[in-house]
């Protein structure tokens, strides 16, 4: 009787599996787990701890080998001869990966050459393993290396595999004198908002004041708080800057932002002494048992002590069992990110450059951004498009819980607004002393929000050089629009708390982890250039407003303040003191005297001795691009002829231009304009305030010429790239559009290109005829 397919002998399977395990451990598991073990922030940002971290390590170690072995066994069972060749092919693939990893820094230019010479080496390795039993045995003896790699990973990642348990600390009640007048310290609540990638200078006029025309929310906060306008952030990376704030200690670069590395922090101190409403992103300093649920109770009788109006929605704060904060990145998404990391470890240099950046991110490695991807929390390509309705009604009902980095990647800045909205609602309604802490990734890239709380498309990375003024100014305008949207939430914070019975007893802190720079030719913030001091001001100067309990009048403070001073100031205001020592000081009672202040980045540190006058100079510098005294609409009125964006119907003063060629990508987006706004409808309607396109000149344009994008008869955006364009030349362009004039579907020609030339009375306005 004819026998069916026979599996290979168990001993042969074991030897082949050992070969696969040895090679794939060297090529994939060791470099990947070494990286993840030394950068456990990747697990913190995904809200991973405990068993799932171990599972990830086992998947990386064993699944590739299991797949190779399964293919080998199945094919060999069906056709032994073919199985031998498949085995050799699998060994070749694994050997090739080993060669690529080991020789990843040895490049001969084009990726094809790199693949060729490593392929030749892999062929040699495969022949030796197949033909020389001694080599085969030696490789199999390397398979226990996987155990060493596994143990090393577990040891490195122990801080997230087995995090410390939360404890209630004893308080030194006599260390801080009790308040004799006003709110007792044991009745103080704290609202601490940490914005992300929020520099100070955009908020300022050229005379160093808060621009109330553009940012009425920040101006209202300043009028009732102390503005520490000479503060410096400590780091340009979130995972160093935020832990420094929360511990009151100068940061040490490359220390994981997890509880075991920072056990003495805001959350462990306040645990058991205040109700907790904590929302971290990219850090994990709060014990999960303390912060995985919001423990706030209260109601509208506190938020509206004079009674609620009929127009106010009932937003009674739920009990702690109803509001679950902790959310975990899906394991499949986490593994997809790991594959991108593997690509960076295995592929030749030229091919690696085409992959999404990973050097400063912990997940969601994508290529979509309207600034180059150099941020330490990378963005993703999954942010919804214009036809997707982003209704946040359900989130509002749930009081907008915390988000993981992955949820921010999929929802963009729109996912952060309801987080802050929920914190505001709970702070206004809380009936007991509570710590409300929220790190929100706004106005952080991608820049999508508009001042009327709608959303635009986030454009792909601009391929033009960062020395091109138009390119960098476009990015700056996009940041400003989202900063104004952020200001809306600060305005709501101040308005709702002032209306609440909690205003006097609440300490309000609004600050940021770091800023970023738009200096031509400079990286946004991932690479620090100490030889460009202006960029240091942009990156390390951040807002800091502190409204103390019972404070009603604004104040300005120019002491040499640092972000590490905030936590000691909170300790003094609440009286919750465990006797810890800080590098920072209580700002209410002290004026720090620091001739210089330390700033750090992953590969270095520096001391800054500048003052507030230096950041005023930055406001003056960027005033060259966008009027620093103007309102929100002035953000889009850049260029030589920006004043033409004024709401008036455009009227030509010269003949039509009949042969000029231009185009806008995604022109269909103008058919998808929505009127919905977060504040009025609980959803972010779509509005295309950022567009990109191309134009070809049929004549030589002078330096005083600019293009104007016109929608339904009104100027909405400038195309400065047209200035100086030669006849027959083409250029790409980007334009930031005025959201106020983008309503309804296209009428008539819809979106048009016009051209403005000359100045003053000699200015000529021409329509570009539709082809």
């Amino acid at each position: 009787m004819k026998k069916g397919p026979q599996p290979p002998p168990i001993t042969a399977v074991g030897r082949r599996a050992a070969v696969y395990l040895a090679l794939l451990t060297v090529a994939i598991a060791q470099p990947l787990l070494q990286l993840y073990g030394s950068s456990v922030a990747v697990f913190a940002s995904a809200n991973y701890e405990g068993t799932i971290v171990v599972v990830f390590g086992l998947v990386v170690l064993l699944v590739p080998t299991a797949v190779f072995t399964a293919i080998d066994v199945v094919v060999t069972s069906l056709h032994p001869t073919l199985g031998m060749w498949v085995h050799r092919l699998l060994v070749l693939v694994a050997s090739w990966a080993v060669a690529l990893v080991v020789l990843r820094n040895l490049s001969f230019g084009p990726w094809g050459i790199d693949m060729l010479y490593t392929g030749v080496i892999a062929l040699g390795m495969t022949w030796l393993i197949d033909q020389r039993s001694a080599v085969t045995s030696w490789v199999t003896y390397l398979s226990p290396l996987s155990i060493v790699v596994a143990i090393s990973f577990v040891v490195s990642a122990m801080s997230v595999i087995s995090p410390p348990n939360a404890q209630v600390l004893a308080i030194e009640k006599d260390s801080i004198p009790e308040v004799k007048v006003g709110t007792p310290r044991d009745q103080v609540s704290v609202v601490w908002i940490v914005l992300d990638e929020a520099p100070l200078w955009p908020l300022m006029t050229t005379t160093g004041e808060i621009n109330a025309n553009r940012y009425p929310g920040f101006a209202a906060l300043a009028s009732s708080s102390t503005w520490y306008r000479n503060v410096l952030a400590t780091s340009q990376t979130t995972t160093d800057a935020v832990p420094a704030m929360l511990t009151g200690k100068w940061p040490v670069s490359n220390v994981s932002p997890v509880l075991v590395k920072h056990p003495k922090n805001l959350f462990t101190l306040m645990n058991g002494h205040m109700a907790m409403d904590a929302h971290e992103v990219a850090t994990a300093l709060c014990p999960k048992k303390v912060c995985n649920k919001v423990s706030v109770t209260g109601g509208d009788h506190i938020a509206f002590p004079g009674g609620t109006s009929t127009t106010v929605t009932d937003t009674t704060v739920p009990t702690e069992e109803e509001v679950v904060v902790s959310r975990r990145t899906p394991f499949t998404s986490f593994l997809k990110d790991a594959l991108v990391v593997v690509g960076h470890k295995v592929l030749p240099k030229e091919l690696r450059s085409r992959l999404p950046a990973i050097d400063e991110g912990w997940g969601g490695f994508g290529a979509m951004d309207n600034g180059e991807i150099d941020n330490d929390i990378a963005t993703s390509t999954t942010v919804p498009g214009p036809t997707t309705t982003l209704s946040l009604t359900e989130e509002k009902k749930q009081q907008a819980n915390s988000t993981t980095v992955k949820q921010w990647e999929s929802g963009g800045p729109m996912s952060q607004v309801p987080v802050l909205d929920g914190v505001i609602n709970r702070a206004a309604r809380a009936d007991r002393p509570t710590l409300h802490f929220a790190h929100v990734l706004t106005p952080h890239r991608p820049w999508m929000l508009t001042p009327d709380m709608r959303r635009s498309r986030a454009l792909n990375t601009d391929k033009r050089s960062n020395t091109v003024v138009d390119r960098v100014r476009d990015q700056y305008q996009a940041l400003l629009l989202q900063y104004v949207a952020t200001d809306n939430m600060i305005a709501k914070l101040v308005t709702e708390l002032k209306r609440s019975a909690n205003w006097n007893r609440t300490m309000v802190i609004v600050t940021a982890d770091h800023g970023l720079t738009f200096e031509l030719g400079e990286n946004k913030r991932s690479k620090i250039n100490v030889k460009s001091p202006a960029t240091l001001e942009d990156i390390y100067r951040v807002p800091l407003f502190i409204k103390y309990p019972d404070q009603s009048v604004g104040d300005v403070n120019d002491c040499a303040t640092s972000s590490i001073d905030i936590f000691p100031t909170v300790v003094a205001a609440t009286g919750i003191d465990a006797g810890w020592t800080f590098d920072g000081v209580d700002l209410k009672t002290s004026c720090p005297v620091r001739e210089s202040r330390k700033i750090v980045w992953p590969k270095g540190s520096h001391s800054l001795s500048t003052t507030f006058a230096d950041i005023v100079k930055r406001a003056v510098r960027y005033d060259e691009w966008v009027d620093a005294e103007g309102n929100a609409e002035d953000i889009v009125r850049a260029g030589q002829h920006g004043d033409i964006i004024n709401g008036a119907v455009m009227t030509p003063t010269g003949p039509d231009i009949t042969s000029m060629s231009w185009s806008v990508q995604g022109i269909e987006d103008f058919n998808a304009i929505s009127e919905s706004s977060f504040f009025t409808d609980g959803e972010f309607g779509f509005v295309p305030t950022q567009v990109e396109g191309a134009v070809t000149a049929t004549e030589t344009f002078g330096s005083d010429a600019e293009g104007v994008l016109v929608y339904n008869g009104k100027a909405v955006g400038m195309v400065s790239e047209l200035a100086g364009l030669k006849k027959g030349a083409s250029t790409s362009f980007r334009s930031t559009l005025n959201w106020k004039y983008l309503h309804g579907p296209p009428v008539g020609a819809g979106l048009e290109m016009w051209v403005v030339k000359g100045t003053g009375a000699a200015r000529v306005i021409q329509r570009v005829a539709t082809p």
Side-chain angles (χ1 to χ4, degrees):
M1 184 172 64
K2 186 177 180 180
K3 296 182 179 180
Q6 297 295 311
I10 294 178
T11 54
V13 172
R15 284 195 300 270
R16 292 181 179 184
V19 170
Y20 298 144
L21 180 60
L23 295 174
L24 293 173
T25 296
V26 173
I28 297 176
Q30 190 278 330
L32 187 62
L33 294 183
Q34 181 184 34
L35 177 63
Y36 276 51
S38 62
S39 304
V40 295
V42 70
F43 298 110
S45 66
N47 202 15
Y48 279 16
E49 66 177 35
T51 304
I52 194 168
V53 178
V54 178
V55 170
F56 171 76
L58 292 175
V59 168
V60 172
L61 271 171
L62 302 179
V63 168
T65 297
V67 170
F68 274 45
T69 304
I71 294 172
D72 192 329
V73 170
V74 170
V75 176
T76 302
S77 299
L78 297 174
H79 197 295
T81 301
L82 180 61
M84 179 57 68
W85 284 104
V86 168
H87 168 66
R88 291 167 178 162
L89 177 62
L90 293 172
V91 171
L92 174 63
V93 171
S95 299
W96 206 341
V98 170
L100 286 166
V101 168
V102 174
L103 300 172
R104 69 188 303 269
N105 293 323
L106 181 60
S107 175
F108 294 97
W111 67 268
I113 300 297
D114 292 341
M115 291 295 289
L116 180 62
Y117 90 81
T118 54
V120 171
I121 294 174
L123 282 170
M125 293 172 60
T126 302
W127 184 85
L128 289 172
I129 293 171
D130 186 62
Q131 299 296 320
R132 295 290 185 265
S133 59
V135 176
T136 305
S137 297
W138 182 78
V139 173
T140 58
Y141 292 153
L142 284 178
S143 59
L145 175 65
S146 61
I147 299 175
V148 177
V149 170
I151 293 173
S152 177
F153 170 71
V154 169
V155 171
S156 299
M158 188 56 68
S159 60
V160 288
I161 293 174
S162 181
N165 292 323
Q167 297 180 345
V168 177
L169 301 175
I171 300 303
E172 298 184 358
K173 296 184 178 180
D174 297 331
S175 62
I176 299 177
E178 185 51 74
V179 174
K180 296 182 179 180
V181 178
T183 303
R185 284 193 169 90
D186 61 3
Q187 294 301 308
V188 170
S189 283
V190 178
V191 177
W192 186 345
I193 306 300
V194 178
L195 305 175
D196 205 296
E197 216 169 56
L200 173 59
W201 92 85
L203 298 178
M204 295 167 42
T205 66
T206 55
T207 57
E209 306 295 327
I210 298 296
N211 181 354
N213 292 326
R214 185 170 295 156
Y215 304 104
F218 280 101
L221 177 61
S223 69
S224 301
S225 67
T226 302
W227 176 22
Y228 293 92
R229 61 184 191 175
N230 189 24
V231 70
L232 278 180
T234 56
S235 175
Q236 42 65 274
T237 59
T238 296
T239 48
D240 287 337
V242 173
M245 285 188 209
L246 297 178
T247 61
K249 294 284 190 178
W250 293 112
V252 177
S253 289
N254 302 313
V255 174
S256 299
V258 294
L259 175 61
V260 72
K261 300 294 185 180
H262 306 279
K264 295 182 177 181
N265 66 65
L266 173 73
F267 307 115
T268 55
L269 179 63
M270 298 302 172
N271 176 37
H273 302 287
M274 299 183 79
M276 301 296 285
D277 180 8
H279 307 262
E280 291 183 272
V281 179
T283 59
L285 272 63
C286 188
K288 287 292 185 290
K289 291 183 179 180
V290 175
C291 294
N292 66 345
K293 291 182 180 180
V294 172
S295 59
V296 182
T297 57
D300 281 351
H301 64 288
I302 299 173
F304 303 95
T308 60
S309 69
T310 57
T311 60
V312 176
T313 303
D314 181 24
T315 51
T316 302
V317 178
T319 62
E320 57 185 321
E321 289 78 20
E322 293 180 84
V323 182
V324 179
V325 171
S326 297
R327 298 180 183 179
R328 178 182 288 177
T329 296
F331 195 61
T332 53
S333 298
F334 197 77
L335 290 179
K336 288 178 182 178
D337 291 335
L339 287 176
V340 177
V341 177
V342 170
H344 275 274
K345 292 294 184 181
V346 173
L347 294 178
K349 183 177 180 180
E350 186 178 350
L351 291 181
R352 293 198 300 269
S353 65
R354 303 179 187 180
L355 293 174
I358 65 166
D359 56 337
E360 299 166 347
W362 306 289
F365 306 124
M368 183 281 298
D369 200 353
N370 30 19
E372 60 265 23
I373 302 291
D374 66 359
N375 45 306
D376 57 297
I377 307 175
T379 56
S380 165
T381 56
T382 56
V383 174
T387 58
T388 305
T389 299
L390 285 184
S391 175
L392 293 168
T393 304
E394 189 60 30
E395 285 88 338
K396 290 185 72 177
K397 289 180 180 179
Q398 297 175 1
Q399 300 300 310
N401 303 333
S402 177
T403 52
T404 64
V405 169
K406 194 67 183 180
Q407 289 156 341
W408 166 68
E409 291 150 10
S410 62
M414 292 76 70
S415 69
Q416 300 302 288
V417 173
V419 172
L420 186 50
D421 194 50
V423 168
I424 294 169
N425 288 335
R426 289 189 291 274
R429 291 160 172 77
D431 60 2
R432 49 180 165 157
T434 304
L435 170 63
H436 306 273
F437 176 87
H439 174 198
V440 289
L441 299 179
T442 182
H444 195 293
R445 288 165 285 180
W447 300 307
M448 302 175 67
L449 292 178
T450 62
D452 61 355
M453 302 307 283
R454 290 188 285 173
R455 65 183 177 90
S456 181
R457 182 193 297 277
L459 303 181
N460 292 326
T461 302
D462 196 328
K463 301 300 183 183
R464 293 177 292 178
S465 168
N466 66 354
T467 61
V468 176
V469 173
D470 291 324
R471 175 202 197 242
V472 182
R473 185 177 59 193
D474 289 339
Q475 295 173 348
Y476 179 46
Q477 290 173 289
L479 163 72
L480 293 180
L481 292 186
Q482 190 147 299
Y483 222 146
V484 175
T486 304
D487 180 76
N488 289 335
M489 299 308 297
I490 300 301
K492 182 174 182 180
L493 169 70
V494 175
T495 300
E496 296 218 355
L497 279 180
K498 277 191 173 182
R499 184 172 54 196
S500 167
N502 288 336
W503 173 250
N504 285 336
R505 72 176 186 87
T506 300
M507 179 183 195
V508 179
I509 303 165
V510 176
T511 187
D513 55 355
H514 52 70
L516 77 170
T517 185
F518 292 89
E519 272 299 316
L520 298 178
E522 297 288 347
N523 198 279
K524 288 290 183 291
R525 65 180 171 85
S526 66
K527 297 179 181 179
I528 299 300
N529 182 6
V530 295
K531 294 181 180 180
S532 177
T535 63
L536 301 182
E537 298 297 319
D538 292 352
I539 295 170
Y540 289 94
R541 293 283 183 178
V542 295
L544 175 58
F545 300 91
I546 300 179
K547 198 283 290 185
Y548 292 95
D550 302 305
Q551 181 176 359
S552 59
V553 178
D555 192 14
V556 173
N557 186 297
D558 283 334
C559 293
T561 307
S562 171
S563 295
I564 62 170
D565 297 321
I566 303 175
F567 184 24
T569 305
V570 172
V571 169
T574 60
I576 302 174
D577 184 5
W580 295 347
T581 58
F582 304 108
D583 293 331
V585 300
D586 171 22
L587 295 176
K588 182 69 178 297
T589 59
S590 304
C591 178
V593 178
R594 297 173 176 130
E595 293 184 2
S596 64
R597 283 163 283 178
K598 182 181 179 182
I599 58 174
V600 303
W601 57 94
K603 295 183 180 180
S605 63
H606 186 64
S607 292
L608 276 182
S609 56
T610 55
T611 66
F612 177 68
D614 294 278
I615 192 62
V616 175
K617 294 177 183 177
R618 304 307 299 151
V620 173
R621 182 263 179 272
Y622 288 108
D623 179 65
E624 298 172 7
W625 289 352
V626 176
D627 183 7
E629 272 75 26
N631 59 24
E633 287 190 73
D634 287 321
I635 294 171
V636 303
R637 294 178 179 133
Q640 304 172 73
H641 304 287
D643 62 296
I644 204 168
I645 306 175
N646 54 28
V649 175
M650 291 285 285
T651 302
T653 61
D656 286 0
I657 299 175
T658 58
S659 56
M660 181 175 167
S661 173
W662 69 281
S663 63
V664 167
Q665 296 181 23
I667 190 69
E668 65 278 2
D669 286 356
F670 290 86
N671 293 313
I673 293 175
S674 170
E675 304 298 323
S676 298
S677 168
F678 175 77
F679 282 149
T680 58
D681 306 290
E683 62 182 44
F684 296 96
F686 177 75
V687 56
T689 55
Q690 299 177 59
V691 297
E692 58 185 331
V695 60
T696 300
T698 55
E699 61 180 271
T700 296
F701 290 99
S703 59
D704 61 352
E706 285 184 307
V708 183
L709 290 176
V710 176
Y711 183 70
N712 289 350
K714 296 181 179 181
V716 292
M718 304 305 299
V719 181
S720 298
E721 290 86 342
L722 198 65
L725 194 63
K726 303 297 183 182
K727 181 178 181 180
S730 298
T731 184
S732 61
F733 70 84
R734 293 196 172 191
S735 183
T736 303
L737 310 186
N738 190 316
W739 64 99
K740 281 195 172 183
Y741 309 138
L742 295 176
H743 294 283
V747 177
L751 187 68
E752 300 175 285
M753 176 75 79
W754 290 48
V755 174
V756 184
K757 308 173 186 176
T759 58
R763 187 159 77 171
V764 178
I765 303 173
Q766 298 172 275
R767 178 193 292 112
V768 177
T770 303

